[in-house]
Amino acid sequence: MQDDIRAFILTLLARKSPLPADFNDDDDFLAAGIIDSMAIIKFILELEARFDITLDDDDIESQQFRSVRGLLALIDNKTA
């Protein structure tokens, strides 16, 4: 399941902006500008729809939300 979640997140990110060659699961994709403020809402909606979860303001404002590894844990926790 983790591999599927990771692949989905990476696909979404790559659709927003090409991922740097050295991008890793701990990189802050918001700080790197891979997703800008205009695209973040659509990104959140796509995650919520795909995994049948709701991300609240605390989730979105958390440091966990800003990396692939953090999102994996967040989604895993919400789908458990």
Side-chain angles (χ1 to χ4, degrees):
M1 178 75 170
Q2 288 269 321
D3 289 341
D4 292 341
I5 296 171
R6 183 179 182 278
F8 185 78
I9 293 168
L10 289 174
T11 298
L12 286 181
L13 292 174
R15 283 194 327 210
K16 307 299 180 197
S17 179
L19 298 177
D22 60 349
F23 183 79
N24 69 63
D25 289 353
D26 294 317
D27 287 347
D28 184 329
F29 54 81
L30 293 174
I34 294 170
I35 294 183
D36 62 22
S37 59
M38 298 296 288
I40 195 72
I41 298 300
K42 185 174 180 185
F43 179 72
I44 292 166
L45 293 173
E46 289 174 309
L47 290 172
E48 289 179 330
R50 170 64 177 85
F51 299 108
D52 194 26
I53 60 172
T54 300
L55 296 169
D56 59 34
D57 290 345
D58 289 340
D59 296 328
I60 295 164
E61 293 170 3
S62 72
Q63 189 65 31
Q64 194 174 28
F65 182 80
R66 303 172 71 91
S67 70
V68 172
R69 187 176 315 279
L71 270 177
L72 281 168
L74 187 62
I75 292 168
D76 193 46
N77 185 42
K78 290 197 174 270
T79 57

